[in-house]
Amino acid sequence: MTDAITVEKFADAKEFEPKIIGFLCNWCCYGGADMAGLGRMQYPTNIRIIRVMCSGRVDPQFILEAFRRGADGVFIGGCHLGDCHYVEGNYRTQRRIIILKEYLRSMNINPERLRLEWVSASEGEKFTRVVKDFVKVLKELGPFNDSS
Amino acid sequence: MNKEEPQKSDKDEPRIGIYICHCGKNIAGTVDSESVAEYAATLPNVVTAKDYLYTCSEPGQNMIRDDIKELGINRVVVAACTPKMHEQTFRKTISDAGLNPYVLEVANIREQCSWCHMKEKENATEKAKDLVRMAISRSRDLVPLERTTIPVDKSALVIGGGIAGIETALDMADAGLKVYLVERETSIGGKMAQLDKTFPTLDCSACILTPKMVNVSRHPDITLLTYSEVKNVDGYVGNFKVTVERKPRYVIEEACTGCGECSFVCPVRVPNEFDMNRGKRAAIYVPFPQAVPLKFTIDPEHCLYFKNKMCTTCKQLCPKNAVDYDQEPEILDLTVGSIVVASGCDTFDATKIPELGYGRYPNVITNMDFERIVNAGGPTEGHILRPSDNKEPKSVAIIQCVGARDEENELYCCRYGCMAAMKQAYLLKEKLGSDTDVYICYIDLRSFGKGYEEFYRKVRNMGVKFIRGQPSEVLQNPDGSLVFNVYNSNIARHMKITVDIVILTLALTPPKGIDELQRILRISRGADGYFLEAHVKLQPAETHTKGIMLAGTCMAPRDITDTVTHAANAAAKAIDLLAPGEVPIEPITAWVDEDICSGCGICWYICPYAAIKIVDVEGHSSAEVVDALCTGCGTCGAACPSNAITHRHYTSNQIMDMVIAALEG
Ligand SMILES: Cc1cc2nc3c(=O)[nH]c(=O)nc-3n(C[C@H](O)[C@H](O)[C@H](O)COP(=O)(O)OP(=O)(O)OC[C@H]3O[C@@H](n4cnc5c(N)ncnc54)[C@H](O)[C@@H]3O)c2cc1C
Ligand code: FES
């Protein structure tokens, strides 16, 4: 990416609000998102959350479909490693996401558009922080279609 | 044979009712609920869309029930608070009106929308519309599911034998459950057994605790496993499989009568942990005379037999021949229906704040040291003496919030320290005479409980000096006395105070071993390090894992009154759960379409619950799910290369519906 493009992107970025699909496991990250609300912690409105029982439920097809339909970023939130409600679901998730990022790269999609975070049910603050950061990163990357 | 998967029939044209809650101003203050309802009404299959002040109220629920009956609604979407709050409430509402509870979908527009976007009303309203559209879309694909029940074991495991564990165990056993109480130490009792008196009534701690400890050991339905630890937990509500390791006491419990002959003749004397290392015990010992069970234990670290096989005095003298140097750890496998965690807390390590001098100056002691010193059964037989020279102190200062309300250590209030300090000030005045100077240096005084404020006034009237301010450093004078400067904001003056003893009121902290316990139980902990309750106000004794409860200070620091209340709550929840003899299980399980399954076995390999079997179906192999073992995580569904697995209630179609709907807007 050349500097000129970056500057141009930056000018655009003011208008651009990335669309994020979030898959959050019921037991940890979804609770963390609830905790953020309960604590009235404020973050941008870009994310649309889909509850799944475990981050291990997130089929790569869901993620690819989200990108295909125009998501600028996909967020997966699970329990910290070792804390998965179903013992080891999040280890599966971790492995899948690593492979999927490789795949995205090979498709010329910036793997930073796919973000995996471990957030416990009490970490409202962390949830807020990572969502804010993800929005920031995506704004810098610009819309999915023209930057990939 | 695989159960037939409920399918959405073509006749089942979705007729959706959607209800947008205002939640007073909680939602409507940010999200324009009315315009969300107007928008929802335009979406396909929506028969009615209403906004309502409090949808969870009785009239709100009646509105939904009436619509189901009058408008023939067959899918209900509620856009309100988190489903963790009221999903069950609304499932009940719609099933009362004749619908299957699983045709409900909740859109979270409070915790995940109005509350976290309070300054962005327009964007929040747009987001709420998206969330509603997503929920409606998913609801079209919802299918009725049948709840099944599984039989439960009417028994419970209690982890930790402090006052919380004791109270829970007795309540549950009295209600007819079979209870296993596992305690890590050689005796039950926890911290309460170490206390002298308890605020605010100054009851003798042992006098109110010991009878309960004895009741535990005598109760026919309680199996007491002391000096034991939980090593593994598998299974699920109603059928937890628990592995307990019993450490060797090197004394045969059944034979030991607790006569104490062995301890008397043992040549070893080491500091007694129970007395905060101030008194001495033998290498074969009970921590305190009222220990339950009253069974002796050999501490192999100090016993001469274990060191060099030189001494066997206790073995020779034991009238019951109870000493057995060759004992091995014993593993017990238990099945229980429910688990109550009552693992308590530790006190803050005062050496982490070196300025206060603990560990360096002998006359700086902790409040737990003081409990032992002032106790008639303690190392000084209840005489309050200055540790450096065993003289009676003329002045004592108590420093509050050591490690608590402190950004570098624990942020929270310990919730017992103010009252414990006042209790100790009272005992100082009472035992040493009213001319003894007693100071309490505090940040804020919190005497919130029943009878607490009255106790504060009593202590103040005794002449205890309350100083609002915290000393930054404690120094020692050559004569062993201690001196510190403190800014007393009550009178806006710097004070220099010299005392014989400084007592540190310690924060309570999550206990050692809590990481291990969390790993075994797979339950969450809060940012403060304590175990996390299912709901801070409404489910304080439950966890997010069905069947696992919390009792006492393992969830948050608190005093005995609150610990006992909490413990009784945990017991009641476990009794409620197990009394019917069966528990409903969520039908959110996996299902394999044997016509598509190639029998590759990937799901069999990754299932953490061994809930998948590979079976032979008319000549080809196929995976099959054992419903009772499946916990519904859906990991197999995500891994299946041929899409043969349906994760009920979180089907790929239902999730895709939401993805697509989210990006349509
Ligand atoms: C100095 C001091 C003075 C106090 N004074 C008062 C007072 O006057 N009035 C009052 O109301 N409160 C007072 N308190 C508070 C009171 O001590 C606590 O509220 C109460 O003891 C908490 O009981 P618990 O059962 O939750 O925890 P604990 O007493 O800590 O008991 C927990 C038990 O669980 C065991 N355990 C821990 N982990 C495991 C494991 N993994 N496996 C098996 N067993 C395990 C421990 O060995 C322990 O026996 C005082 C506290 C202190 C420190
Ligand atoms: S339940 Fe949270 S990652 Fe598995």
Side-chain angles (χ1 to χ4, degrees):
Chain A
M1 203 185 277
T2 68
D3 280 341
I5 296 176
T6 320
V7 172
E8 201 178 297
K9 278 276 152 53
F10 194 69
D12 271 4
K14 253 192 233 156
E15 296 304 310
F16 167 59
E17 287 297 339
K19 288 184 191 164
I20 305 174
I21 300 293
F23 295 98
L24 273 48
C25 85
N26 180 55
W27 304 98
C28 292
C29 195
Y30 194 88
D34 278 351
M35 199 57 99
L38 209 57
R40 311 298 194 274
M41 296 167 200
Q42 305 295 301
Y43 56 87
T45 55
N46 307 60
I47 191 167
R48 302 289 176 267
I49 292 171
I50 297 175
R51 179 164 72 135
V52 286
M53 279 296 137
C54 175
S55 68
R57 172 66 184 105
V58 183
D59 190 324
Q61 291 178 57
F62 304 160
I63 300 171
L64 296 175
E65 184 69 13
F67 283 125
R68 210 170 68 78
R69 300 261 172 183
D72 299 297
V74 175
F75 179 96
I76 319 284
C79 311
H80 287 273
L81 290 173
D83 289 356
C84 172
H85 189 73
Y86 307 100
V87 196
E88 52 197 35
N90 52 2
Y91 285 99
R92 307 277 168 213
T93 314
Q94 191 182 37
R95 256 180 266 167
R96 276 181 202 145
I97 298 298
I98 291 172
I99 298 170
L100 198 59
K101 277 180 180 254
E102 279 309 313
Y103 177 73
L104 292 181
R105 194 169 289 139
S106 73
M107 301 284 289
N108 256 338
I109 301 175
N110 191 326
E112 277 193 67
R113 293 190 181 276
L114 174 58
R115 181 129 172 189
L116 173 63
E117 291 283 350
W118 310 133
V119 179
S120 80
S122 64
E123 290 177 328
E125 196 276 323
K126 178 168 183 193
F127 181 76
T128 311
R129 184 160 34 87
V130 294
V131 170
K132 277 186 187 162
D133 186 67
F134 194 32
V135 170
K136 187 168 150 262
V137 168
L138 291 172
K139 284 192 175 180
E140 280 163 12
L141 289 177
F144 173 47
N145 287 331
D146 38 288
S147 78
S148 69
Chain B
M1 188 56 212
N2 280 359
K3 223 169 30 185
E4 196 54 45
E5 176 62 5
Q7 298 292 338
K8 207 181 80 179
S9 67
D10 292 339
K11 271 180 269 151
D12 181 25
E13 180 65 23
R15 294 180 60 78
I16 302 170
I18 156 105
Y19 303 89
I20 323 283
C21 190
H22 290 217
C23 193
K25 280 265 170 262
N26 284 308
I27 293 171
T30 304
V31 168
D32 181 351
S33 301
E34 277 173 46
S35 82
V36 177
E38 279 163 25
Y39 168 73
T42 66
L43 296 171
N45 303 103
V46 172
V47 174
T48 178
K50 293 178 177 156
D51 59 295
Y52 198 76
L53 191 58
Y54 287 107
T55 314
C56 59
S57 66
E58 189 56 30
Q61 295 190 45
N62 283 339
M63 164 180 76
I64 299 176
R65 285 190 203 106
D66 291 347
D67 282 356
I68 292 172
K69 288 184 189 138
E70 286 159 22
L71 304 173
I73 283 166
N74 58 14
R75 304 281 191 290
V76 173
V77 177
V78 179
C81 52
T82 170
K84 298 202 171 207
M85 190 79 184
H86 281 317
E87 188 171 55
Q88 296 303 338
T89 314
F90 291 119
R91 278 187 181 163
K92 174 101 181 31
T93 312
I94 69 167
S95 73
D96 287 348
L99 286 189
N100 181 283
Y102 293 89
V103 297
L104 169 85
E105 174 65 6
V106 179
N108 183 342
I109 60 165
R110 192 178 76 173
E111 281 80 353
Q112 296 181 5
C113 192
S114 68
W115 276 351
C116 51
H117 310 307
M118 296 173 86
K119 296 197 188 79
E120 296 183 77
K121 296 193 176 181
E122 266 174 42
N123 287 341
T125 303
E126 285 313 306
K127 176 171 172 180
K129 286 180 187 168
D130 286 357
L131 293 174
V132 162
R133 189 175 61 244
M134 290 158 70
I136 288 175
S137 183
R138 170 173 143 95
S139 79
R140 293 194 192 102
D141 262 335
L142 291 175
V143 288
L145 299 173
E146 291 315 316
R147 276 197 183 128
T148 47
T149 58
I150 45 166
V152 297
D153 213 281
K154 287 200 181 185
S155 59
L157 167 75
V158 179
I159 305 176
I163 181 62
I166 291 172
E167 188 66 34
T168 320
L170 286 172
D171 280 6
M172 291 194 297
D174 285 346
L177 299 186
K178 173 137 189 53
V179 178
Y180 301 92
L181 175 52
V182 172
E183 165 60 52
R184 183 164 65 185
E185 304 296 331
T186 57
S187 168
I188 56 171
K191 256 179 284 312
M192 190 175 167
Q194 290 175 284
L195 306 182
D196 180 50
K197 302 280 189 304
T198 57
F199 61 74
T201 47
L202 298 171
D203 277 305
C204 146
S205 191
C207 311
I208 54 178
L209 178 65
T210 317
K212 281 189 179 281
M213 290 165 59
V214 174
N215 287 349
V216 166
S217 70
R218 297 238 173 100
H219 203 296
D221 287 328
I222 299 181
T223 307
L224 183 54
L225 302 168
T226 48
Y227 212 37
S228 303
E229 273 182 58
V230 174
K231 289 289 170 196
N232 194 39
V233 173
D234 276 327
Y236 43 87
V237 57
N239 296 279
F240 291 107
K241 305 279 180 229
V242 181
T243 312
V244 175
E245 182 186 285
R246 310 208 66 190
K247 289 175 271 187
R249 279 179 192 269
Y250 305 108
V251 171
I252 301 159
E253 258 192 42
E254 298 70 35
C256 175
T257 59
C259 71
E261 204 65 36
C262 52
S263 194
F264 190 67
V265 297
C266 173
V268 176
R269 287 295 176 269
V270 291
N272 187 358
E273 302 82 358
F274 184 82
D275 281 334
M276 306 310 287
N277 294 327
R278 289 177 185 270
K280 294 264 193 284
R281 64 163 172 83
I284 182 165
Y285 70 104
V286 286
F288 55 108
Q290 303 82 4
V292 169
L294 194 62
K295 306 288 177 189
F296 280 72
T297 305
I298 294 180
D299 151 18
E301 201 190 322
H302 296 105
C303 169
L304 297 180
Y305 176 84
F306 283 90
K307 275 197 171 151
N308 50 23
K309 305 233 183 316
M310 288 300 279
C311 168
T312 53
T313 321
C314 57
K315 188 173 173 69
Q316 284 165 30
L317 256 132
C318 176
K320 292 285 173 188
N321 208 0
V323 175
D324 173 6
Y325 297 124
D326 299 323
Q327 237 176 26
E328 294 280 335
E330 194 188 334
I331 298 290
L332 292 179
D333 291 314
L334 311 172
T335 302
V336 293
S338 179
I339 297 176
V340 181
V341 188
S343 54
C345 57
D346 278 351
T347 47
F348 178 75
D349 173 8
T351 59
K352 285 192 188 160
I353 309 183
E355 307 88 271
L356 296 177
Y358 183 71
R360 267 188 303 153
Y361 307 140
N363 296 332
V364 177
I365 63 174
T366 69
N367 57 346
M368 194 50 114
D369 290 326
F370 182 77
E371 293 288 339
R372 296 313 303 149
I373 290 172
V374 76
N375 187 276
T380 53
E381 291 171 347
H383 298 295
I384 304 174
L385 301 174
R386 205 165 83 146
S388 65
D389 54 10
N390 284 335
K391 287 203 183 116
E392 254 190 21
K394 296 267 171 294
S395 53
V396 179
I398 306 178
I399 299 177
Q400 294 302 93
C401 304
V402 174
R405 304 184 65 195
D406 169 354
E407 281 181 13
E408 276 167 32
N409 294 294
E410 310 296 355
L411 200 59
Y412 49 81
C413 165
C414 70
R415 246 171 153 270
Y416 84 100
C418 287
M419 293 308 297
M422 289 191 249
K423 167 189 76 176
Q424 298 191 338
Y426 179 100
L427 296 175
L428 284 160
K429 284 278 188 189
E430 185 190 61
K431 291 220 169 178
L432 297 172
S434 58
D435 55 340
T436 309
D437 287 323
V438 180
Y439 304 91
I440 296 182
C441 301
Y442 67 97
I443 308 178
D444 292 293
L445 272 184
R446 296 179 169 176
S447 50
F448 51 85
K450 180 169 170 169
Y452 291 9
E453 181 67 17
E454 293 84 335
F455 188 75
Y456 160 60
R457 281 165 193 266
K458 177 151 70 179
V459 172
R460 204 168 62 173
N461 289 338
M462 290 171 91
V464 172
K465 301 188 179 81
F466 287 88
I467 298 176
R468 189 187 186 118
Q470 273 201 317
S472 51
E473 187 174 20
V474 175
L475 295 171
Q476 184 177 267
N477 289 321
D479 67 350
S481 64
L482 302 158
V483 59
F484 58 83
N485 289 309
V486 56
Y487 178 74
N488 186 349
S489 66
N490 281 336
I491 53 172
R493 208 171 276 167
H494 284 284
M495 299 174 77
K496 181 173 186 169
I497 292 178
T498 304
V499 289
D500 287 325
I501 293 181
V502 165
I503 301 176
L504 307 178
T505 297
L506 302 179
L508 299 179
T509 58
K512 71 168 191 299
I514 192 167
D515 294 339
E516 170 84 0
L517 200 54
Q518 176 189 23
R519 194 187 52 72
I520 292 170
L521 294 168
R522 294 192 295 278
I523 55 176
S524 306
R525 277 158 71 188
D528 53 10
Y530 291 91
F531 287 125
L532 192 67
E533 66 280 18
H535 189 277
V536 60
K537 301 251 174 248
L538 303 178
Q539 292 171 291
E542 289 153 271
T543 65
H544 285 300
T545 304
K546 201 165 175 189
I548 302 188
M549 320 291 169
L550 304 174
T553 51
C554 68
M555 178 208 132
R558 43 169 59 109
D559 62 14
I560 296 167
T561 314
D562 288 357
T563 296
V564 170
T565 315
H566 194 224
N569 184 192
K573 291 292 170 192
I575 296 162
D576 266 7
L577 185 71
L578 302 181
E582 54 181 26
V583 284
I585 49 166
E586 286 283 335
I588 302 175
T589 47
W591 173 80
V592 180
D593 187 336
E594 57 193 31
D595 292 340
I596 306 178
C597 177
S598 68
C600 71
I602 289 181
C603 54
W604 170 84
Y605 171 73
I606 66 170
C607 176
Y609 296 93
I612 293 184
K613 291 191 298 192
I614 303 292
V615 293
D616 190 77
V617 182
E618 293 162 7
H620 80 92
S621 58
S622 168
E624 186 182 295
V625 178
V626 183
D627 270 355
L629 293 178
C630 176
T631 57
C633 64
T635 305
C636 55
C640 176
S642 38
N643 282 334
I645 299 183
T646 301
H647 182 205
R648 293 188 179 103
H649 209 55
Y650 290 90
T651 66
S652 297
N653 281 347
Q654 290 164 357
I655 296 174
M656 279 305 195
D657 288 343
M658 295 186 87
V659 173
I660 296 167
L663 295 164
E664 265 168 11

